[in-house]
């Protein structure tokens, strides 16, 4: 069963942009905070950005000013616009949903997408 479906990953040069999208069910989007985590090889999974059902957002410090998270509660989608990409942004990005607050590593996340690879070349 796939309840969150991601798209938009790919290869990009440093300084470029990508937009990730995630689609899910009406029930998931109506009651859950949505967001994105990422995990690079050999590194711990980390929170990238989150957005509550009412639209409040938070970002990890390393992406502030470059990434923007948004959600559409009619279309049941959440997006991550990534600008000014850096090689250190290279990771698998996972869409996530949870009824409660997001933790730093995603240990408490209830719903996950399968992930989409983002590779930023120097």
């Amino acid at each position: 069963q796939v309840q969150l479906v991601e798209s938009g990953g790919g290869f990009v040069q440093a300084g470029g942009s990508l937009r990730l999208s995630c689609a899910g069910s009406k029930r998931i989007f109506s009651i859950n905070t949505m967001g994105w985590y990422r995990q690079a090889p050999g590194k711990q999974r980390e929170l990238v950005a989150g957005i509550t059902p009412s639209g409040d957002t938070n970002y990890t410090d390393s992406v502030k000013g470059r990434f923007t998270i948004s959600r559409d509660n009619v279309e049941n989608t959440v997006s991550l616009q990534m600008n000014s990409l850096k090689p250190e942004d290279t990771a698998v990005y996972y869409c996530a949903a949870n009824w409660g607050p997001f933790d730093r590593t995603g240990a408490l996340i209830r719903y996950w997408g399968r992930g989409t690879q983002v590779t930023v070349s120097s």
Side-chain angles (χ1 to χ4, degrees):
Q1 183 181 33
V2 179
Q3 299 191 66
L4 296 173
V5 181
E6 300 135 320
S7 62
F11 294 85
V12 66
Q13 290 274 81
S17 298
L18 287 172
R19 185 176 180 87
L20 306 182
S21 295
C22 174
S25 71
K26 180 186 299 182
R27 181 173 181 177
I28 288 176
F29 275 80
S30 68
I31 66 173
N32 287 286
T33 295
M34 306 296 302
W36 296 87
Y37 287 78
R38 67 186 180 187
Q39 187 167 28
K43 296 186 180 296
Q44 184 172 253
R45 183 172 58 198
E46 64 173 348
L47 174 66
V48 178
I51 183 166
T52 69
S54 61
D56 295 326
T57 61
N58 71 291
Y59 301 89
T60 192
D61 287 343
S62 63
V63 308
K64 287 181 179 177
R66 300 188 297 121
F67 292 9
T68 303
I69 189 170
S70 60
R71 66 189 293 161
D72 187 326
N73 293 330
V74 175
E75 298 296 327
N76 302 320
T77 58
V78 60
S79 298
L80 185 69
Q81 179 66 45
M82 305 185 294
N83 298 327
S84 302
L85 282 162
K86 304 174 180 180
E88 49 263 48
D89 295 317
T90 295
V92 177
Y93 284 69
Y94 298 91
C95 184
N98 203 46
W99 62 269
F102 278 25
D103 60 319
R104 293 190 301 274
T105 65
L108 302 178
I109 295 299
R110 183 176 181 182
Y111 301 103
W112 289 103
R114 290 179 175 176
T116 185
Q117 177 71 48
V118 171
T119 302
V120 184
S121 61
S122 59

